[in-house]
Amino acid sequence: MTPVFAIALALLSVAGLLTLVRLVHGPGALNRVIALDVTVTLLLAGVAVDAARRGEGSGVPLLLVLAVLGFVGSVTAAHLVEEREGVR
């Protein structure tokens, strides 16, 4: 593993831990929804870094599908929280 990939994965891990703290101790439901969205994004970035390290691009369509599903899930959750709490 080259140092670039190791540093990238280490930074993604630190970001994941910080996001997990926000997910657990978030002051509100919207903060938790955003933390979940960031967690999904970080996981996708980790998988993409690993795919780049191995030099294979066969998982790119799967990454795109998972990214779209994560986005739709986040928008749906934010909409439900907005309706429940009357955020507007």
Side-chain angles (χ1 to χ4, degrees), residues 23-67:
L23 182 64
V24 172
H25 298 294
L30 281 177
N31 284 328
R32 291 187 171 103
V33 168
I34 291 171
L36 277 174
D37 187 39
V38 171
T39 303
V40 169
T41 303
L42 290 172
L43 287 171
L44 290 172
V47 171
V49 168
D50 186 55
R53 181 185 60 85
R54 288 185 285 138
E56 69 178 50
S58 61
V60 172
L62 177 64
L63 287 173
L64 290 173
V65 169
L66 290 175

Side-chain angles (χ1 to χ4, degrees), residues 28-34 73-88:
L30 281 177
N31 284 328
R32 291 187 171 103
V33 168
I34 291 171
S74 295
V75 169
T76 304
H79 182 69
L80 290 173
V81 169
E82 178 186 26
E83 283 182 357
R84 183 184 305 163
E85 295 181 0
V87 174
R88 287 189 188 196

